Amino acid sequence: MSSEHMQIGEVAARTELSLRTIRHYEETGLVIPSARSQGGFRLYTEADVARLMVIRRMKPLGFTLDEMRDLLDATDLLDSGEQLPPADRDELLTRIRGFEQAAQRRVDDLRVQLARAEEFAATLAERLPRTPTP
């Protein structure tokens, strides 16, 4: 195995994703291992880990697998080094901008939810007697 390749266990540890989740993302075509060992083990590169991190960051914001795939496809094309016609490049950037705006809206919504949850926790704490907890 090359030093630039990692097995799925190391990737799971680095991304804090379960083996099952990583395999699911492979089954859905979101992240395909870059190679296989002679024994058939999945082998991943830093680029694969980066791709998994994008997915991991999108998941709590409620993006669907199709949306994740769409964003990854757009970033893959932009990062390919391929000379794209200006109109195609602009369309990809517009798609990515749409994801950035959607992510920001979802972050804002989560901040509101967090503030409400903190208010609720504080309300409960105020109802408890003021004795030190062990």
Side-chain angles (χ1 to χ4, degrees):
M1 172 171 52
S2 165
S3 63
E4 61 193 40
H5 284 103
M6 297 163 268
Q7 289 189 359
I8 194 170
E10 182 180 348
V11 172
R14 287 188 53 193
T15 61
E16 298 177 347
L17 294 170
S18 69
L19 300 177
R20 182 175 177 215
T21 297
I22 295 170
R23 288 185 190 112
H24 173 69
Y25 292 150
E26 178 185 356
E27 290 168 9
T28 60
L30 286 174
V31 177
I32 305 299
S34 291
R36 293 264 180 177
S37 70
Q38 287 183 341
F41 293 104
R42 295 166 175 86
L43 299 176
Y44 298 87
T45 63
E46 288 295 332
D48 298 326
V49 170
R51 193 172 177 88
L52 283 164
M53 293 302 292
V54 169
I55 295 165
R56 192 187 91 177
R57 290 176 182 121
M58 291 180 81
K59 187 68 175 158
L61 295 177
F63 287 101
T64 66
L65 294 177
D66 286 337
E67 289 170 325
M68 293 175 192
R69 185 175 297 104
D70 187 34
L71 175 64
L72 290 167
D73 288 347
T75 57
D76 286 348
L77 281 170
L78 284 174
D79 294 344
S80 70
E82 182 180 327
Q83 193 71 342
L84 298 170
D88 291 353
R89 187 175 191 289
D90 289 346
E91 190 274 329
L92 292 171
L93 291 172
T94 297
R95 280 171 43 196
I96 293 171
R97 192 170 295 110
F99 279 103
E100 186 275 330
Q101 292 167 347
Q104 191 57 57
R105 281 191 304 273
R106 292 171 188 194
V107 166
D108 293 343
D109 291 345
L110 286 172
R111 282 193 178 108
V112 169
Q113 288 179 342
L114 178 59
R116 289 177 182 160
E118 288 172 334
E119 286 175 18
F120 175 66
T123 301
L124 292 176
E126 289 172 4
R127 295 184 61 93
L128 296 173
R130 303 272 185 233
T131 58
T133 56

